[in-house]
Amino acid sequence: MSSQTGLRVKELLREKQWTTKILAEKTGMSESYLTHIKNGTRRWNEDSLRKLASAFELNPIELFAQHRKRTDNIESAVSMPESSNVDLKVQVVPVMTDIPANPSPYNNQLMQVTSGCKDTFFPVLNGTDASMFTLMLNSNQLSPTFEKGDLLVISPEVWTRSGDIAAVEYGNDVLVRAIMKVTYTDDFTVLESVNFKQAPIALIRGKDHFRIIGRVVARYQSFV
C-alpha cells in the first residue's frame, strides 16, 4: 500500500487505548480485516473509511497517515462551530505516471498497472467524477510550473475553458498525450507548454486531431 493512502488506525488505537476487538465492535467490521488495515497489508474502501471515521469521531481526512496536527496553536485563535451540516465526501482516486487515452474506472486500473503504480491511490475531497485520475510527475519536465513528485488531479468531466491547463491528445501522424495550457480562438486551438520552454502549437480547428482528456483541477506537492 502506498504511504499516501495509509491510515492512522494503529496510532489512534494506541491513543484511545482500544484493542482491535473493541474497534471491530464499534465498526461492525471483522478483527482480521481491521488487523490488515492497521498493518497496511490490505487496501481499505470508502465504506470502511466512513465506519472508522465514525468510530474514532474524526473527519475522514484526519484518518490518513499524511495528516499532521498543526503546531501553531491555531485552535486557540480560531473558534470552530460545534457542529456543521457540510457533508464531505472522500473519493479515492487512482495514481499513475502516464495519461490514459480514455479514462474510465477500468482503464485507469489498467494504466495503474502498466505505469508501475498498482494499488496506489490518493484521497480527493468532494470528487464526483468516476473517471478522475491522479497523474504523478516522475520528472522535472514541466518545471518550474510543476515539479517532480507533484500529483495532478485530472477530471475528464470538468469543462476545459480557454486558458486552463489540461491533459490533451493531439497529432495527425503520431498521437501525443501531454499536459498543456489550452487557448481557443475562432480558427485555432493553441497549445502551450506549461513551462514555456517550447514554441506554442497552433492546431487548425476541425482539421488537426485534438481532444481534451481531462482538465487539471488540483495540484498536490510533497514538501518532505
Side-chain angles (χ1 to χ4, degrees), residues 65-175:
Q66 63 181 16
H67 176 80
R68 294 291 183 270
K69 185 175 177 63
R70 296 183 66 122
T71 57
D72 52 5
N73 295 322
I74 192 171
E75 291 85 355
S76 62
V78 178
S79 176
M80 298 296 289
E82 293 184 1
S83 62
S84 172
N85 59 359
V86 177
D87 183 19
L88 294 179
K89 177 181 176 62
V90 178
Q91 181 176 347
V92 182
V93 179
V95 176
M96 57 201 71
T97 57
D98 292 322
I99 300 171
N102 298 290
S104 70
Y106 177 73
N107 289 339
N108 290 349
Q109 286 186 357
L110 290 180
M111 182 59 76
Q112 277 191 289
V113 175
T114 59
S115 67
C117 298
K118 182 181 179 181
D119 295 332
T120 305
F121 297 84
F122 188 77
V124 175
L125 283 177
N126 297 328
T128 58
D129 182 356
S131 299
M132 185 181 291
F133 63 95
T134 301
L135 181 67
M136 178 188 291
L137 303 183
N138 55 9
S139 74
N140 281 317
Q141 186 177 0
L142 301 181
S143 63
T145 304
F146 301 129
E147 305 288 346
K148 180 179 179 180
D150 281 1
L151 298 174
L152 306 182
V153 179
I154 299 172
S155 174
E157 288 189 357
V158 176
W159 186 259
T160 299
R161 298 164 297 181
S162 188
D164 286 339
I165 295 176
V168 303
E169 180 183 86
Y170 65 94
N172 296 325
D173 298 323
V174 178
L175 293 181

Side-chain angles (χ1 to χ4, degrees), residues 4 8 15 18 41 46 75 78 120 134 162 170 189 220:
Q4 293 174 321
R8 302 166 52 226
E15 291 179 0
W18 290 352
T41 54
E46 188 173 329
E75 291 85 355
V78 178
T120 305
T134 301
S162 188
Y170 65 94
T189 300
Y220 295 89

